[in-house]
Amino acid sequence: MMASEEHLSKRTLVLGCGNVLYGDDGFGPAVAISLAERYPIPGHAAVLNLGLSTRGFIFDVLLASHPPERIVVVDAMEREGRRPGEIFEVPLDGLSREKVDDFSFHQGPTSNLLAELRDFRGVEIVIVSCQPERIPAEMEVGLSPPVRAAADEAARLIYERYLREG
């Protein structure tokens, strides 16, 4: 998905990232869908289900003449010591800058693009994540029960913290 002028005119962008074909990796898209279905998205914000197209979208935002003030990236991320379905924020500097996989947003080069948005364009970067129960090696559609529940809870938290006006 390319960034449109309409998206770039928003103060806040929420980006649901992940692969819905691999179990709990579909957390980010599920949160984007939950937000769109359950909450009134204010005019100053946009919620986008990016799936695997995060890097290209972020690159477009980086080149925009007027980037948003805040980007909330939502994606499943394995972190040692967390329980399945646990929602947590990840500091941008806590992401790997090294490239390991072509599609992962939580490593270089996508993490580097997010850092450039923050450091050179002044965009606040918030990363909301969830500990997956399982991301299968083979295609398997559907979230595990704890991550399904976490998607709705993350949508509520994002709406209250970053989207609700007032």
Side-chain angles (χ1 to χ4, degrees):
M1 168 181 282
M2 291 186 55
S4 72
E5 287 301 319
E6 180 184 349
H7 297 139
L8 296 178
S9 69
K10 307 296 184 179
R11 287 194 323 262
T12 299
L13 294 179
V14 178
L15 310 179
C17 308
N19 190 339
V20 298
L21 298 177
Y22 285 88
D24 290 344
D25 196 44
F27 171 74
V31 172
I33 291 167
S34 183
L35 275 165
E37 291 178 347
R38 296 170 180 246
Y39 299 96
I41 305 304
H44 71 81
V47 176
L48 304 169
N49 179 352
L50 293 183
L52 295 176
S53 60
T54 307
R55 185 178 309 145
F57 186 88
I58 296 295
F59 189 74
D60 289 346
V61 174
L62 185 62
L63 297 176
S65 58
H66 300 289
E69 293 174 15
R70 174 189 303 127
I71 294 177
V72 180
V73 177
V74 187
D75 195 14
M77 204 176 307
E78 292 183 350
R79 290 292 194 249
E80 194 169 320
R82 304 256 182 200
R83 69 184 189 292
E86 184 177 347
I87 300 165
F88 51 97
E89 287 193 14
V90 178
L92 180 55
D93 292 331
L95 299 181
S96 173
R97 297 294 180 99
E98 301 299 317
K99 181 178 178 179
V100 178
D101 180 301
D102 282 336
F103 297 107
S104 179
F105 111 84
H106 31 92
Q107 63 197 2
T110 307
S111 57
N112 295 329
L113 293 173
L114 290 169
E116 286 187 34
L117 275 171
R118 179 194 63 194
D119 297 344
F120 301 114
R121 302 299 307 272
V123 177
E124 176 187 4
I125 304 295
V126 176
I127 301 167
V128 176
S129 193
C130 174
Q131 178 72 25
E133 182 172 76
R134 61 190 187 80
I135 297 176
E138 302 288 325
M139 280 195 265
E140 185 179 312
V141 177
L143 300 176
S144 65
V147 174
R148 173 69 256 159
D152 291 336
E153 178 62 14
R156 184 188 67 75
L157 292 170
I158 290 166
Y159 178 75
E160 290 178 359
R161 289 183 191 164
Y162 304 110
L163 297 178
R164 184 168 48 195
E165 297 192 87

